[in-house]
Amino acid sequence: MVPITKVNRGGLAGIFGNLVPRRQSTREAIAGYLFVLPVILGFIIWVFGPMIATLGISFTNWPIIGKAKWIGLDNYVRLFTTDPFFVPALKATTYFALVSVALRIIYAFLVAMLLNQDVRGKALFRTVYYLPTIVPVVASSMIWSWVYNPDFGLFNVVLKWMGLPPSRWISDPTTVIPSIILMDLWASSSTIIIFLAGLQGVPRELLEAVEVDGGNAWHKLWTVTIPHMSPFIFFNMVLGLIGAFQIFTQSFIMTGGGPNNASLFFALLIYRTAFTNNKMGLACALAWILFMIVAFFTFVIFKSSGSWVFYYGDDR
Amino acid sequence: MSKAISRRNFLKASALSVGAAFLASCTPKATEAPAADAPAAAPPEAEIIQLRYSHWGNEDEKASTRAVLDEFEKANPNIKVEQIYIPEAGDAFLQKLNSMAASNSLPDGSLFPDGSAVDWGLKDMFLDLTDTFVGVHEKVDAIKFILPDGRLIGVSAAQETFQIWYAKEMFDAESIGYPPDAGEKAWSWNEFLEIAKELTVDTQGRRAGTSGFDADNVNQFGVQTGTWLMPVLAMVRSNGGDYFTDDFMTLTIDRPENIEAIQMISDLMNVHKVMPKPTSGGGLSSLSTDNALLSKKIAMKWDGQWVLETLNRVRRESDLKFGIGVLPFMKEPVTTATGGPIVGFKASQHPAEAKMLVNYIMDPITTPVLIQGGLWMPNEKRWYTEPEYLSQWIDNENHPPEYKSAVVDYSMKYVSNVLPYYRLPAWSGFEQLLNPALDQVWLGEKTAEQAIAEVKPQLQDYFDTEILSLMKG
């Protein structure tokens, strides 16, 4: 036991005197808690609290301009049985999320490998490929809707000039989501940067070992680079899916959910149900269902990661 | 240890104060009183009533609204009006009002999105204006928002009707006569179609309907009608049909007249190729009227009267020669009318003064800039019939000579009924079901008959469960 002596201390300790515990470890523990308090409070007040509130609201039919009435699970039942927009939204969002994340990872990996080459002007290339991330989504949506214009947009002008048939891009139900995926690939620089960082950590001695054993570039890629990159692929997959399921701005600005509900993404449906149709309860139910879907896919990827994610230095 | 605060203590103190400041900033904001703080310099004898009025619009409308509010303040020295200008119109404006409603900070009066007025009216958010517009201020019937129990909760601030707006030079180039400027002389649909074909020319100079016409390389289109509610319902009604019965209590969406009219509009795009197909996010079909006519890409653009203001500016800047014609008819000439109402909120602390403000702004006399400039048509009956008011409206360079018969008389005689959202709540949900079905018709993927047959059960279900139940209370 440490002998306790009353010491005349100055400063704040003098003011709070008896409140400050004597034991060093307790004092440090309290200091630690105080430091994380702002973040925890922020999370509770602005993330966790509203989440619980929306869960409660999802069991009501609050029209915002009026009183909320408890209706139990009616909102959820309606969504899974009679709601005309739930299934189109699910289809559109899942189609976009799965395809765009898969393409994004392949594309970003290839670009990162290119940017990893030691060529002249590599700083310039890296900058150019990073720029799309900095462009705000609203601004890029407006520009892309001009480029996608079927009557006089840049892409169709180029296609015509090359003698190819023009496409209707975002104005046709079958091509609208591929067009938005293309737009998303252009803006995938954050994924590229993470892969680039990972590539630069690939152990050189292993690559040389493959060379020594007579392997070519493909062997290097398959046996050394990709296993080493698997944690990064895993990270980008999880984060990519979480973000892709919440896509909103492109359809809000460019298509309004059409044509024929082909781009009616979940987040757009939530927004429109809450603020145009004044059905906050139904919108909250939709939001929780989206949360469950994202959580499910995240869980699936985590569960499967044991078999394909390899951490350098582990015993596997 | 010295008397100065040690580093550890300092760190503890700053963590505590940041946490405390965080907590303090998170206390819920005290509910704003609907009337803002009384000005500190108010003379103690005169009680200044503070009103708040919200609206949307561009910069010109912001300035002209402020001018109207200033005039109101001059006429009523004990009332001050705070202008709440919200740049976005439509849904975005509605979201702002929803947030204000949720935080009990609604203004006293507001310009209001027409598609949602009955919804808010049925939730008892508005003041009853039934006895407000009486006598000489009697308003045009076609723009009154009336609840099922007969209460008047608003009238469109302007009656905006639909016409053909055309580029004279494009007609002159083909030596074709201009569209008629009187409802009695309106083109039949077939006459209109033939003219549209002659005005649709491909890049090789071939006209639509002739052999060798290349529909994929069209240089100019004869017409763009718009594929939203106003033009489509105008033609449906012109063909003798309607989406509902006259009292709006029964859904009649699958009437053969409706299907025929919608198919005829779709055929303009998919069979006769005289109209560009609709596009998302911009394109020939969503060119504004002034751009469509000025760029000579579209000869006849159907649009609402509000475009007159911009067309005049383009006429002054770029010498655009435009004309106004009446819509073609299928069986009878019909046009439709719309306009956002000016409402007073029940939550207002000063309902009597709020009604005065609404009445003032609704009087066309107080908004000469908007009426003479061509943006607004008056909402009062006497302005269409009495020469002294009519001349204030149209005797200026902004209103071309054919305006009287193509717009004033046309609107007086040929608006057959109000648009559905003047009587029905939850209209946005109905359109969210109908429009995707119609999308398929405009794109040529389905016939009107197929699309409407498929969507009818959903529309009927929506009408019964959402709309009728709200109407019956």
Side-chain angles (χ1 to χ4, degrees):
Chain A
M1 260 277 287
V2 177
I4 300 171
T5 45
K6 242 193 148 32
V7 179
N8 201 13
R9 291 181 291 191
L12 208 62
I15 302 166
F16 283 98
N18 294 329
L19 289 175
V20 180
R22 302 292 190 262
R23 247 213 206 103
Q24 172 99 342
S25 54
T26 325
R27 288 204 305 268
E28 284 186 353
I30 292 185
Y33 284 126
L34 284 178
F35 272 112
V36 297
L37 192 64
V39 175
I40 294 184
L41 273 183
F43 181 77
I44 292 177
I45 294 170
W46 284 308
V47 181
F48 190 66
M51 274 177 79
I52 301 300
T54 54
L55 185 61
I57 295 175
S58 74
F59 297 124
T60 71
N61 65 352
W62 186 38
I64 304 181
I65 45 168
K67 294 240 172 296
K69 205 173 65 146
W70 184 267
I71 55 171
L73 289 172
D74 277 2
N75 281 331
Y76 293 95
V77 169
R78 173 203 163 122
L79 286 174
F80 284 109
T81 53
T82 59
D83 190 272
F85 303 113
F86 183 65
V87 170
L90 205 54
K91 268 200 205 152
T93 316
T94 313
Y95 175 16
F96 172 79
L98 296 181
V99 175
S100 82
V101 171
L103 286 180
R104 193 182 237 232
I105 290 187
I106 297 171
Y107 172 74
F109 196 90
L110 290 172
V111 173
M113 288 213 296
L114 287 173
L115 292 178
N116 199 29
Q117 305 296 317
D118 202 9
V119 292
R120 274 192 18 173
K122 86 175 160 185
L124 175 69
F125 284 119
R126 290 179 182 180
T127 311
V128 163
Y129 272 93
Y130 186 64
L131 279 178
T133 309
I134 316 180
V135 178
V137 189
V138 174
S140 67
S141 297
M142 307 225 62
I143 306 260
W144 276 89
S145 59
W146 276 98
V147 167
Y148 276 146
N149 191 310
D151 301 310
F152 36 67
L154 183 63
F155 282 175
N156 271 358
V157 166
V158 170
L159 282 177
K160 261 192 199 169
W161 176 75
M162 295 193 334
L164 296 169
S167 165
R168 290 195 61 82
W169 301 109
I170 53 172
S171 303
D172 188 278
T174 44
T175 56
V176 60
I177 293 201
S179 304
I180 299 183
I181 292 178
L182 185 63
M183 214 183 124
D184 188 66
L185 280 183
W186 170 81
S188 60
S189 13
S190 48
T191 317
I192 297 175
I193 293 296
I194 291 175
F195 278 146
L196 187 57
L199 281 174
Q200 294 182 342
V202 175
R204 278 190 203 284
E205 60 269 18
L206 290 181
L207 291 172
E208 283 165 10
V210 174
E211 257 182 49
V212 161
D213 285 349
N216 57 20
W218 167 252
H219 290 122
K220 280 193 215 167
L221 182 67
W222 186 246
T223 60
V224 177
T225 309
I226 290 187
H228 177 84
M229 292 292 287
S230 56
F232 296 86
I233 298 178
F234 171 67
F235 174 80
N236 276 326
M237 208 183 270
V238 171
L239 248 60
L241 265 179
I242 293 177
F245 268 107
Q246 296 173 61
I247 180 170
F248 171 78
T249 313
Q250 286 88 332
S251 60
F252 183 66
I253 301 274
M254 293 161 79
T255 65
N260 191 19
N261 292 334
S263 66
L264 182 63
F265 294 130
F266 231 90
L268 183 65
L269 181 61
I270 294 172
Y271 178 80
R272 155 177 120 176
T273 308
F275 295 111
T276 306
N277 301 356
N278 275 57
K279 291 202 168 90
M280 194 51 104
L282 193 62
C284 289
L286 277 167
W288 269 87
I289 293 178
L290 181 63
F291 176 65
M292 292 297 162
I293 294 174
V294 175
F296 168 73
F297 276 100
T298 310
F299 173 74
V300 163
I301 298 181
F302 264 90
K303 254 300 194 235
S304 77
S305 72
S307 59
W308 60 274
V309 179
F310 161 74
Y311 292 97
Y312 188 61
D314 271 2
D315 289 335
R316 276 178 290 188
Chain B
M1 232 198 297
S2 68
K3 287 255 177 203
I5 298 180
S6 75
R7 200 182 71 202
R8 167 169 288 159
N9 291 333
F10 172 75
L11 288 173
K12 277 192 237 178
S14 42
L16 256 177
S17 42
V18 166
F22 213 86
L23 270 172
S25 71
C26 297
T27 54
K29 219 164 73 146
T31 319
E32 275 178 50
D37 317 313
E45 326 82 53
E47 192 227 320
I48 303 270
I49 296 178
Q50 184 81 18
L51 296 180
R52 293 155 74 235
Y53 174 77
S54 59
H55 70 106
W56 69 80
N58 57 24
E59 285 296 323
D60 294 323
E61 290 167 76
K62 179 182 176 190
S64 46
T65 304
R66 184 66 251 175
V68 175
L69 295 176
D70 288 341
E71 292 294 314
F72 177 77
E73 285 179 353
K74 272 198 216 135
N76 300 281
N78 65 325
I79 307 182
K80 288 258 162 289
V81 187
E82 181 194 339
Q83 177 187 22
I84 302 177
Y85 168 65
I86 299 170
E88 312 98 358
D91 275 355
F93 187 85
L94 202 56
Q95 281 126 35
K96 274 275 174 31
L97 284 187
N98 268 325
S99 331
M100 288 204 250
S103 60
N104 280 329
S105 55
L106 279 171
D108 299 273
S110 177
L111 189 57
F112 200 84
D114 38 12
S116 312
V118 174
D119 288 87
W120 283 51
L122 280 173
K123 293 259 183 325
D124 212 25
M125 301 292 292
F126 297 141
L127 295 169
D128 183 353
L129 300 174
T130 313
D131 301 320
T132 309
F133 311 115
V134 289
V136 294
H137 291 299
E138 207 192 327
K139 302 296 184 191
V140 173
D141 292 315
I143 47 172
K144 287 182 181 166
F145 292 85
I146 301 180
L147 299 180
D149 61 11
R151 267 183 298 157
L152 177 76
I153 42 114
V155 178
S156 299
Q159 179 189 215
E160 302 290 303
T161 52
F162 235 65
Q163 293 83 21
I164 298 180
W165 303 80
Y166 58 91
K168 285 188 173 167
E169 287 170 357
M170 292 172 80
F171 279 78
D172 296 339
E174 310 286 333
S175 306
I176 302 175
Y178 298 149
D181 60 7
E184 297 76 34
K185 299 189 263 172
W187 282 332
S188 71
W189 186 261
N190 284 329
E191 288 175 310
F192 160 73
L193 179 57
E194 290 311 308
I195 305 275
K197 281 187 193 168
E198 288 190 46
L199 287 163
T200 304
V201 185
D202 69 13
T203 47
Q204 305 294 324
R206 291 180 289 249
R207 296 186 182 185
T210 58
S211 70
F213 172 70
D214 183 3
D216 291 325
N217 284 299
V218 175
N219 193 35
Q220 72 181 46
F221 283 97
V223 63
Q224 211 283 320
T225 66
T227 49
W228 53 294
L229 184 68
M230 268 187 99
V232 173
L233 196 53
M235 288 300 103
V236 160
R237 288 176 174 172
S238 171
N239 200 33
D242 209 335
Y243 291 167
F244 304 93
T245 49
D246 279 347
D247 60 1
F248 294 100
M249 296 301 281
T250 313
L251 177 68
T252 59
I253 189 83
D254 53 351
R255 286 178 63 173
E257 295 90 349
N258 302 355
I259 292 174
E260 194 183 33
I262 291 173
Q263 190 63 52
M264 292 211 266
I265 297 180
S266 166
D267 287 347
L268 289 176
M269 296 181 265
N270 296 300
V271 172
H272 309 292
K273 317 277 192 187
V274 295
M275 176 165 145
K277 284 199 200 185
T279 51
S280 314
L284 270 182
S285 61
S286 34
L287 273 183
S288 61
T289 303
D290 53 303
N291 282 330
L293 300 183
L294 193 58
S295 62
K296 299 219 170 78
K297 286 291 174 195
I298 297 183
M300 295 185 276
K301 177 111 169 65
W302 296 19
D303 210 341
Q305 191 278 158
W306 55 79
V307 297
L308 182 60
E309 190 188 49
T310 313
L311 285 175
N312 273 313
R313 180 176 53 77
V314 177
R315 171 181 59 80
R316 285 187 285 266
E317 289 171 3
S318 318
D319 197 29
L320 170 70
K321 296 181 178 51
F322 69 90
I324 315 175
V326 299
L327 300 177
F329 69 92
M330 293 188 175
K331 297 201 176 102
E332 297 285 337
V334 168
T335 188
T336 41
T338 192
I342 298 186
V343 297
F345 287 102
K346 237 195 183 141
S348 167
Q349 303 267 359
H350 309 282
E353 285 77 10
K355 281 192 191 178
M356 283 169 63
L357 178 62
V358 169
N359 203 4
Y360 188 84
I361 306 180
M362 285 287 295
D363 188 345
I365 286 273
T366 66
T367 51
V369 172
L370 301 175
I371 304 250
Q372 283 155 16
L375 184 70
W376 280 10
M377 285 167 65
N379 55 49
E380 250 169 42
K381 286 184 176 169
R382 60 180 175 167
W383 284 70
Y384 292 77
T385 49
E386 290 174 34
E388 100 174 76
Y389 292 102
L390 197 51
S391 68
Q392 278 187 60
W393 173 14
I394 64 176
D395 282 345
N396 51 59
E397 59 146 14
N398 290 323
H399 293 82
E402 68 266 28
Y403 190 88
K404 165 107 186 13
S405 72
V407 182
V408 180
D409 296 339
Y410 185 54
S411 309
M412 271 206 301
K413 295 188 203 149
Y414 294 106
V415 178
S416 60
N417 199 350
V418 295
L419 286 174
Y421 49 75
Y422 280 83
R423 298 287 180 274
L424 297 180
W427 180 250
S428 52
F430 189 90
E431 288 213 279
Q432 283 164 10
L433 286 168
L434 180 62
N435 288 343
L438 292 182
D439 277 346
Q440 298 174 282
V441 182
W442 310 137
L443 291 174
E445 291 171 6
K446 288 209 171 107
T447 64
E449 192 167 3
Q450 287 168 327
I452 292 188
E454 277 173 18
V455 79
K456 174 169 189 224
Q458 292 177 337
L459 289 174
Q460 186 68 58
D461 185 58
Y462 184 83
F463 184 71
D464 294 333
T465 55
E466 307 263 351
I467 297 186
L468 279 186
S469 62
L470 278 174
M471 300 250 283
K472 290 176 180 156

